[in-house]
Amino acid sequence: MGVPLGEEDIQLQRCPHLVIKADTPKGRGVFATKDIPARTVIDICPVLILGSEENKAHIEKTSLYHYTYNWPIIDASGKSKTAQAVIFGLGSMFNHSTQDQNVGWIRDPNRLIITYCALRDIETGEELCISYGSHLTFKDTDTAPPTLPEEEIEQLRMIELY
């Protein structure tokens, strides 16, 4: 006999064809063991919001801090602020990619969950990566090197004006 779902219950879901590999160039990473079609829900992860005092006094001094997400909150005075949140499930295991991200994520601040979905078809053996956004705390190895000025000039010469 199953437990009946209530109106406010959150149905958790995870794609079954995933593994975590520990020996990648980026450290631990999530990889597909079978092809995953675009728009597949990869994982729905519960979120734990950290208090600002607790975050400052404890979490920022540990390696856990590098696995937290910025999370929008409304403080006691009604102002929008950013807190830190621990994401359970696979949420904190996805590596960053600017160029090859294949997983998107959506916060649900009311239900305190994040849903991760495949942005495109993901092939067997491919790493699942998200974008951490523009405020990275590390060097982004995926960014393209700057174009040399002579290359830019040559590119401009190749543009046909109509």
Side-chain angles (χ1 to χ4, degrees):
M1 173 180 243
V3 176
L5 285 178
E7 202 173 293
E8 298 199 13
D9 291 340
I10 298 166
Q11 181 74 41
L12 298 178
Q13 186 175 343
R14 178 179 289 167
C15 179
H17 308 296
L18 305 171
V19 294
I20 294 177
K21 292 188 177 210
D23 57 351
T24 78
K26 294 179 180 180
R28 287 186 293 187
V30 180
F31 289 78
T33 59
K34 291 191 177 176
D35 290 351
I36 300 171
R39 295 182 295 284
T40 298
V41 172
I42 302 298
D43 202 2
I44 297 175
C45 299
V47 173
L48 174 67
I49 308 298
L50 300 170
S52 58
E53 303 298 325
E54 148 185 63
N55 189 51
K56 201 80 158 147
H58 304 290
I59 304 301
E60 284 185 13
K61 296 175 173 77
T62 70
S63 58
L64 179 61
Y65 182 68
H66 300 290
Y67 291 90
T68 62
Y69 280 52
N70 290 334
W71 194 267
I73 61 166
I74 307 295
D75 69 11
S77 65
K79 287 185 177 182
S80 294
K81 290 195 165 194
T82 301
Q84 292 303 114
V86 175
I87 312 302
F88 296 106
L90 293 175
S92 293
M93 292 290 101
F94 295 115
N95 283 319
H96 167 77
S97 178
T98 302
Q99 304 296 318
D100 296 319
Q101 66 202 23
N102 49 18
V103 175
W105 51 281
I106 300 169
R107 289 183 190 106
D108 184 338
N110 296 326
R111 298 189 311 156
L112 297 176
I113 59 171
I114 293 185
T115 300
Y116 297 88
C117 292
L119 295 173
R120 59 171 172 75
D121 291 342
I122 300 171
E123 296 179 10
T124 301
E126 190 176 351
E127 183 174 12
L128 281 67
C129 292
I130 63 173
S131 171
Y132 293 175
S134 59
H135 302 291
L136 300 176
T137 58
F138 55 87
K139 184 176 186 234
D140 188 352
T141 58
D142 277 358
T143 55
T147 343
L148 299 174
E150 60 269 11
E151 288 176 305
E152 290 175 9
I153 293 168
E154 185 60 31
Q155 288 173 1
L156 288 172
R157 284 189 191 124
M158 297 172 74
I159 298 173
E160 292 182 29
L161 300 174
Y162 293 95

